[in-house]
Amino acid sequence: MFGAQLARRLPSSGWTLAATLQRRNLNIHEYQSLGVFSEFGVATPKLAVAKTPEEAAQKAQEFSGDDVVIKVQVLAGGRGLGHFKENGFQGGVHIIKKSQAAEYADKMLGKTLITKQTGAAGKPCNTVMLCEKFQIKTEKYFAILNDRGSGGPILIGSKTGGTSIEDIAAADPTAIVKVPVDVMEGVSEAMAKDMATQMGFSGAQADHAAKSILGLYKVFTDCDCT
């Protein structure tokens, strides 16, 4: 805005100042981020996107097995513990029978999800994501952030993952692993393997986790996820 105001004040006979305002488009939905992750070699589940109950029912049949996961797509965390304002339906993440896809999508689409992060206003749901179901033994948490304290990226992980990572950190700060990264050197294979080990992975799983950590750091840098 300042650049545009300055340009208007310059005399027409003088030189012209062109001002371009920077745009940042960093808010993307889960299904979009999974597409980016896959391009960078990060392991992701098979998924499909639906914008109507009928489309959800059709896409659900593309998955093997009897069950599928349906997840509301809104720009907020805590979706699994949230509720929908209009109908009181609890939870934005469910494991369902494929035959229930239209029923559950109808309870989510066109509604407003309220979570701990949205406030009372909530966030509108116009899309649901269907993905393959895994038998999960344990959950982990991993993120990469820009850290002002260390002056660069920082890897954050926890052996205890899943929902409400903020509550986990508040209850037990030692459950959170933090590893600062030298932005000039990046994340080495050894660093990624050590992070995976501290998060509770071992053996072949630690190698797979380290590969995903390296891929995620490449997403962070190459896609300017700051």
Side-chain angles (χ1 to χ4, degrees), residues 75-151:
L75 297 174
R79 293 168 295 164
L81 299 177
H83 69 277
F84 291 86
K85 180 189 297 187
E86 293 80 3
N87 55 13
F89 182 57
Q90 291 291 321
V93 180
H94 294 271
I95 299 174
I96 61 173
K97 297 295 183 183
K98 292 193 294 187
S99 59
Q100 297 177 296
E103 173 191 348
Y104 275 73
D106 187 54
K107 294 177 180 179
M108 299 178 177
L109 291 167
K111 310 298 190 301
T112 307
L113 183 71
I114 297 176
T115 77
K116 292 176 68 173
Q117 294 187 9
T118 66
K123 293 283 187 179
C125 170
N126 300 310
T127 307
V128 294
M129 182 182 78
L130 302 170
C131 63
E132 60 183 317
K133 181 190 122 178
F134 290 99
Q135 191 64 41
I136 300 174
K137 185 176 180 180
T138 60
E139 291 183 289
K140 315 292 185 186
Y141 176 87
F142 179 76
I144 305 173
L145 307 173
N146 259 346
D147 180 45
R148 291 184 179 179
S150 60

Side-chain angles (χ1 to χ4, degrees), residues 2-19:
F2 176 77
Q5 292 174 339
L6 179 59
R8 286 196 295 269
R9 292 176 183 176
L10 290 173
S12 58
S13 58
W15 51 276
T16 300
L17 176 65

Side-chain angles (χ1 to χ4, degrees), residues 190-206:
M191 185 185 297
K193 181 67 174 291
D194 180 63
M195 184 71 184
T197 302
Q198 291 191 67
M199 289 172 59
F201 292 102
S202 61
Q205 282 192 336

